[in-house]
């Protein structure tokens, strides 16, 4: 299991930007399937963005063009750059890593990761 530590949540007005970070306490994050999920109380956790070992990415339709997921291999860190934030983006955001299914895409669809971060609150006001 990989320890994941998140940072960077906060409160912004609609149209603003935030960047979430997720640092993995492991060498070789480049080889990991990693992803960002979010959850609102009373609703299921949903996949926001995923990235595989080759750097290929996938996004929730509603965040395409506004959010960017990336890895900094040297820092063992996963990022989620969020621009043009909307009130409906308000949620607790979780990073995830270590996929045990055949493909990263399968893990993203199934929310099936072994390690999860502690969560970071993102609040967007109108």
């Amino acid at each position: 299991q990989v320890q994941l530590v998140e940072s960077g949540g906060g409160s912004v007005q609609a149209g603003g930007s935030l960047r979430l970070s997720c640092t993995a306490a492991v060498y070789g994050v480049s080889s990991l399937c990693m992803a960002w999920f979010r959850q609102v109380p009373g609703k299921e956790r949903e996949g926001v963005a995923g990235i595989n070992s080759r750097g290929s990415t996938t996004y929730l339709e509603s965040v395409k063009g506004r959010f960017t997921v990336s890895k900094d291999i040297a820092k063992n860190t996963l990022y989620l750059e969020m621009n043009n934030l909307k009130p409906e983006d308000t949620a607790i955001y979780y990073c995830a890593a270590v996929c045990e299914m055949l493909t990263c895409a399968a893990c993203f669809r199934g929310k099936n990761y072994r390690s999860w971060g502690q969560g970071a609150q993102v609040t967007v006001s109108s």
Side-chain angles (χ1 to χ4, degrees), residues 32-89:
L32 296 178
C33 293
M34 302 185 77
W36 290 98
F37 287 78
R38 66 187 182 188
Q39 189 167 22
V40 175
K43 293 188 177 182
E44 284 195 16
R45 190 170 296 189
E46 65 177 356
V48 176
I51 184 168
N52 67 13
S53 58
R54 297 185 304 277
S56 296
T57 56
T58 187
Y59 294 94
L60 180 69
E61 189 64 34
S62 63
V63 308
K64 285 182 180 178
R66 301 188 297 120
F67 290 13
T68 303
V69 60
S70 63
K71 291 179 183 176
D72 184 326
I73 307 307
K75 295 182 179 179
N76 273 352
T77 299
L78 177 74
Y79 296 104
L80 184 67
E81 186 76 38
M82 303 182 291
N83 297 313
N84 191 21
L85 281 159
K86 303 177 180 181
E88 51 264 42
D89 295 318

Side-chain angles (χ1 to χ4, degrees), residues 5-46:
V5 179
E6 298 182 39
S7 61
S11 298
V12 294
Q13 290 191 326
S17 298
L18 284 173
R19 187 177 76 163
L20 299 179
S21 300
C22 173
T23 300
V26 66
Y27 176 78
V29 68
S30 61
S31 64
L32 296 178
C33 293
M34 302 185 77
W36 290 98
F37 287 78
R38 66 187 182 188
Q39 189 167 22
V40 175
K43 293 188 177 182
E44 284 195 16
R45 190 170 296 189
E46 65 177 356

